[in-house]
Amino acid sequence: MRKTIIGVIGAGQVSDTGYAVAREVGRRIGEGGAVLVCGGLSGVMEAACQGCNEVGGETLGLLPGGDAAMANPYVTLAVPTNMGHARNVIIAHTAQALIAVEGEYGTLSEIAVALKLGKPVVALNSWPGIEGVIEASSAEEAVEIALQLATGQGEA
Amino acid sequence: MRKTIIGVIGAGQVSDTGYAVAREVGRRIGEGGAVLVCGGLSGVMEAACQGCNEVGGETLGLLPGGDAAMANPYVTLAVPTNMGHARNVIIAHTAQALIAVEGEYGTLSEIAVALKLGKPVVALNSWPGIEGVIEASSAEEAVEIALQLATGQGEA
Amino acid sequence: MRKTIIGVIGAGQVSDTGYAVAREVGRRIGEGGAVLVCGGLSGVMEAACQGCNEVGGETLGLLPGGDAAMANPYVTLAVPTNMGHARNVIIAHTAQALIAVEGEYGTLSEIAVALKLGKPVVALNSWPGIEGVIEASSAEEAVEIALQLATGQGEA
Amino acid sequence: MRKTIIGVIGAGQVSDTGYAVAREVGRRIGEGGAVLVCGGLSGVMEAACQGCNEVGGETLGLLPGGDAAMANPYVTLAVPTNMGHARNVIIAHTAQALIAVEGEYGTLSEIAVALKLGKPVVALNSWPGIEGVIEASSAEEAVEIALQLATGQGEA
């Protein structure tokens, strides 16, 4: 009854390639029957939500501000945490596995918190050289790994 | 595309009557097509999630701890905030209207935060004499009022 | 070596009488050798910090926003939590006893969280009829009770 | 009247060399008239607090748990946030400049959040290759840089 939740992390500004990749990641998460959790804003977050929505998936947006109206249009469940960057820590707790697409300092912070919590982190053209991160070469591969590790580890 | 979210608040310990009322509240929220958000634990929270699940509704549990496994079995989307009582503030931000069933200090705190944020609060046998709280006499009436006010105010 | 910390809670808008009372509360906290913790903004918070400063006391301001510059001028240690109302929960955890002066919904929320955490709460013309709150009739009496209960309960 | 606050970040487990370095960092922060903020636990955090205490400095410990008794013995002001790793974000907001000593994923996360918030980060044998981090070769140099940048940028 508990749904599998996969996190997608990345910056609010993204390259065209990154947008396409994140959208494909979202699509495959939805097709895999999992819920997508992200920071609910623009860029990588919006792309992933859009993809997930296109296949009828549920998208949970943990927003930094206190107003649901700030969520991107593809967030189906808006959670306005009003906790700024601390919401990244909640995303890391909520996701059973995370996929990082590109990203800057905020994404690096989230990758590090997720690893600290023992969550699997799959990277697509994101921060290089962080020990413990699993590098993937396509959206398909990234989601396949994330879903497998999320299921393997159970709910925690 | 954005779903309406109704909060149900109340203590982890509840009377038999309170359990039945909260379950009926959950059922009617699900029937109304809204998502239920709560603290994800036992008592009023579990009862409401059970009712909502019985009619196929979605239940979002914002847990005080960091482990999704602590959620009651009727939570479909577990968000382990690891923020203790501060998660109550996130519930108040997330819900477009809240229904309080019975409750003690934690519930009082949540009612007060919700009112501070300008969210409608409907009470069923909860804290008496708090100005601004709307008293209801049945689960049916409470959910009807909550759904109406949630929709009326838009997403914020 | 660990310092005793007393919380002062109340609204950002306060009556003239309330300002004078809160300032006297702050003064007596400083004279008692304790550190004052509060929300760091205006009204009751500013009055208490001013009083504490006048006798050389330390004032810890747990701000709702992320910018230390928003603290009132009498805060010596600014902690910009960027967590909005959730910072009230941190104040309740930090203070070994709390004194409420007047106040509205935010103060009620904080009183309830503090009681939930088992912290002593002393009230000066604040929310009436909350079971567990100790009513005091003067700043002198309120601080005397708070200091005694804070010391009595040790650090936790 | 507002005090300058310097953050010290690093892991709860530290090498002997790292302990000595962190203690010297704490000592020089105290001698520089600044308040030290850290996560309040063991390892680098305890070493830095010890050094700061030895010269009469104030140490603010933003604890992950809800109990002040978990702070190391050199914390003079314990703030039990009960927010787990999210307290790292509060440390980044609170410090006007931060010094990282050694460290693992938690420290990396904190460095990234601090950079995201535009705070100067000075590193002593910490994560290599993070753009924007200022490398220092001694505790003396690290604190000198941190104090200068903290003062230069004003309170925010």
Side-chain angles (χ1 to χ4, degrees):
Chain A
M1 189 158 278
R2 191 73 45 77
K3 297 188 178 171
T4 299
I5 304 181
I6 304 294
V8 177
I9 56 181
Q13 305 259 357
V14 68
S15 69
D16 285 353
T17 308
Y19 195 96
V21 168
R23 191 169 163 185
E24 182 64 20
V25 164
R27 205 175 284 131
R28 289 179 178 276
I29 288 172
E31 286 171 353
V35 172
L36 186 154
V37 66
C38 71
L41 298 180
S42 57
V44 164
M45 299 169 267
E46 180 164 338
C49 288
Q50 187 179 2
C52 194
N53 261 214
E54 283 164 359
V55 298
E58 194 88 83
T59 54
L60 188 56
L62 299 186
L63 298 157
D67 183 358
M70 299 303 291
N72 73 59
Y74 309 105
V75 167
T76 59
L77 292 165
V79 175
T81 67
N82 202 32
M83 292 201 170
H85 297 299
R87 69 86 148 79
N88 291 353
V89 181
I90 307 182
I91 293 175
H93 276 291
T94 300
Q96 287 149 265
L98 297 98
I99 298 170
V101 180
E102 297 187 350
E104 32 71 3
Y105 291 138
T107 308
L108 175 60
S109 166
E110 178 116 31
I111 291 172
V113 167
L115 292 171
K116 175 84 180 175
L117 295 176
K119 301 295 176 90
V121 178
V122 186
L124 280 163
N125 194 25
S126 188
W127 284 84
I130 308 292
E131 194 190 324
V133 171
I134 303 159
E135 305 280 348
S137 53
S138 69
E140 184 180 1
E141 188 194 3
V143 176
E144 200 177 289
I145 294 170
L147 283 172
Q148 197 173 351
L149 293 172
T151 312
Q153 73 171 345
E155 284 179 358
Chain B
M1 190 160 272
R2 193 70 47 75
K3 298 187 177 171
T4 298
I5 304 181
I6 304 293
V8 177
I9 56 181
Q13 306 257 358
V14 68
S15 70
D16 286 353
T17 309
Y19 196 95
V21 168
R23 191 169 163 184
E24 183 63 20
V25 164
R27 203 176 285 132
R28 288 177 179 276
I29 288 173
E31 285 170 352
V35 172
L36 186 153
V37 66
C38 70
L41 299 179
S42 57
V44 164
M45 299 169 268
E46 180 164 337
C49 288
Q50 186 180 2
C52 194
N53 260 212
E54 284 165 357
V55 297
E58 195 87 81
T59 54
L60 187 56
L62 298 186
L63 299 158
D67 184 358
M70 299 303 291
N72 73 58
Y74 308 105
V75 167
T76 58
L77 291 166
V79 175
T81 68
N82 202 32
M83 292 204 169
H85 297 299
R87 70 83 148 81
N88 291 354
V89 181
I90 307 182
I91 294 174
H93 276 290
T94 300
Q96 287 149 266
L98 297 98
I99 299 170
V101 180
E102 298 187 348
E104 32 71 3
Y105 291 137
T107 309
L108 175 60
S109 166
E110 179 117 30
I111 291 171
V113 167
L115 292 171
K116 175 84 180 175
L117 296 176
K119 301 294 176 92
V121 178
V122 186
L124 280 164
N125 194 24
S126 188
W127 284 83
I130 309 293
E131 194 191 324
V133 171
I134 302 159
E135 306 281 346
S137 53
S138 69
E140 184 181 1
E141 188 194 2
V143 176
E144 200 176 288
I145 294 170
L147 283 173
Q148 197 172 354
L149 292 172
T151 312
Q153 73 171 348
E155 285 179 355
Chain C
M1 191 161 274
R2 192 71 45 78
K3 297 187 178 173
T4 297
I5 303 181
I6 304 293
V8 177
I9 57 181
Q13 305 259 359
V14 68
S15 69
D16 286 353
T17 309
Y19 196 95
V21 168
R23 190 169 165 185
E24 182 63 20
V25 164
R27 203 177 284 131
R28 288 179 179 277
I29 288 173
E31 286 171 352
V35 171
L36 185 154
V37 67
C38 70
L41 299 179
S42 57
V44 163
M45 300 169 266
E46 180 163 339
C49 288
Q50 187 180 2
C52 193
N53 261 213
E54 284 165 357
V55 297
E58 195 87 82
T59 54
L60 188 55
L62 298 186
L63 298 158
D67 184 356
M70 298 303 291
N72 74 58
Y74 308 106
V75 167
T76 58
L77 291 165
V79 175
T81 67
N82 202 32
M83 293 205 168
H85 296 299
R87 67 87 147 80
N88 290 354
V89 181
I90 308 182
I91 294 174
H93 276 290
T94 300
Q96 288 150 264
L98 296 97
I99 299 170
V101 180
E102 298 186 350
E104 34 70 5
Y105 291 138
T107 309
L108 175 59
S109 167
E110 178 117 31
I111 290 171
V113 167
L115 292 171
K116 175 84 178 173
L117 296 177
K119 300 296 176 90
V121 177
V122 186
L124 280 164
N125 193 26
S126 188
W127 284 83
I130 308 293
E131 194 191 324
V133 170
I134 303 158
E135 306 279 348
S137 53
S138 69
E140 182 179 2
E141 188 195 3
V143 177
E144 199 176 290
I145 294 170
L147 284 173
Q148 197 173 353
L149 292 172
T151 312
Q153 74 171 344
E155 285 178 358
Chain D
M1 189 161 272
R2 193 70 46 76
K3 298 186 178 173
T4 297
I5 304 182
I6 303 294
V8 178
I9 56 181
Q13 305 258 359
V14 68
S15 69
D16 285 354
T17 308
Y19 196 96
V21 167
R23 190 168 164 187
E24 182 64 19
V25 164
R27 204 176 284 130
R28 287 178 180 277
I29 288 172
E31 285 171 354
V35 171
L36 186 153
V37 66
C38 70
L41 299 178
S42 57
V44 163
M45 299 168 267
E46 179 163 339
C49 288
Q50 186 179 4
C52 194
N53 261 212
E54 283 165 358
V55 297
E58 195 87 80
T59 55
L60 188 56
L62 298 187
L63 298 157
D67 183 358
M70 299 303 290
N72 74 58
Y74 308 105
V75 167
T76 58
L77 290 166
V79 175
T81 67
N82 201 34
M83 293 202 170
H85 296 299
R87 68 85 147 82
N88 290 354
V89 181
I90 308 182
I91 293 174
H93 276 290
T94 300
Q96 288 150 265
L98 297 97
I99 299 170
V101 180
E102 297 187 349
E104 33 70 4
Y105 290 138
T107 308
L108 175 59
S109 166
E110 178 117 30
I111 290 172
V113 168
L115 292 171
K116 175 85 177 173
L117 296 177
K119 301 296 176 91
V121 178
V122 185
L124 280 164
N125 194 26
S126 188
W127 283 83
I130 309 292
E131 194 190 325
V133 171
I134 303 159
E135 307 279 347
S137 53
S138 69
E140 184 180 1
E141 188 195 2
V143 176
E144 201 176 288
I145 294 169
L147 284 173
Q148 197 172 353
L149 292 172
T151 312
Q153 74 170 346
E155 284 179 358

